[in-house]
Amino acid sequence: MNEDIRQLLVLQDRDAKANRLEAELESIDPERKKTRRESIRTQQVLEQTKQDHMQLEVRRKDLENEVESRKEQILKYSQQQLETKKNEEYQALGREIDHTRQAISEIEDRELELMEEQDVFKTKLAEAKRVAEEAKASEAVMLSDLDEREKNIEKELDELDEEREELVSKINKKTYAHYDRLLDTKGGRVIVGVDHGSCGGCHMKLQAQEIVNAKSGREMVTCTNCGRLIYYTREMIMADELDYSGHRPAEKL
Ligand SMILES: [Zn+2]
């Protein structure tokens, strides 16, 4: 095989690898952000649960104060009962006292309900705390994993860069320029094999002379349709023979 072709095939393989690594490198920052977002989200859930829990406590305290003030009201009514000489007023105060006692009992029922709600919230709060702590811990692990991955990829890319420079220095300048020009537009497949008499890139039939030239390996053949560099190997010759005769090589033997 032509030495330039051999080097170009290695170069194409390394360039594909570098492309994959660069794509992976680009995915690291979004992953970092996702990890942080997830941790912040669980922290927010915890804060909200804490606030809801406190809110319940405030409401319960309000009810407690209300009970206290109603009890004072009852004391006042009782005092007024002692002081009045009018039977009608005495009875009216008695009714007020009954109403207030009724109100107190209703408030105390609500207080009990609130306390039950608080119990449920204690469980919720403990769960939210656990989830937030776990997210924090896994965030730390994941971020350090991502840092490590990033460092490794950067190192690999540096090594590929060095290898690339070395490869390029060995390839004919015109041939390399041709390769480099097509690299971005041909999806990383610039040097392709002959595929049953056609260009392995665009699949247009090649001219007999082009195949002969590719087989000889003495000069670089380019596809007149897509401009890709064409090469030919012994395996392809066998595949072509197999195709034209319609037999498997094993049957021919
Ligand atoms: Zn082509």
Side-chain angles (χ1 to χ4, degrees), residues 115-141:
M115 280 159 87
E116 276 165 22
E117 242 183 277
Q118 275 182 310
D119 274 347
V120 173
F121 253 86
K122 263 180 206 150
T123 318
K124 264 195 198 173
L125 195 59
E127 177 65 10
K129 242 181 216 161
R130 191 185 62 76
V131 169
E133 272 162 19
E134 267 176 19
K136 197 91 198 144
S138 98
E139 179 194 6
V141 171

Side-chain angles (χ1 to χ4, degrees), residues 199 201-204 223 225-228 230:
C199 162
C202 70
H203 305 292
M204 283 291 280
C223 170
N225 182 54
C226 69
R228 285 186 176 89
I230 306 286

Side-chain angles (χ1 to χ4, degrees), residues 237-253:
I237 297 170
M238 279 168 66
D240 275 1
E241 281 170 354
L242 161 72
D243 209 47
Y244 298 142
S245 68
H247 295 289
R248 299 169 68 87
E251 289 171 4
K252 280 203 287 185
L253 286 174

Side-chain angles (χ1 to χ4, degrees), residues 143-156:
L143 286 181
S144 113
D145 279 356
L146 287 171
D147 285 350
E148 176 100 16
R149 235 168 81 197
E150 190 176 52
K151 249 198 319 203
N152 288 341
I153 292 172
E154 275 165 356
K155 187 165 159 263
E156 251 186 287

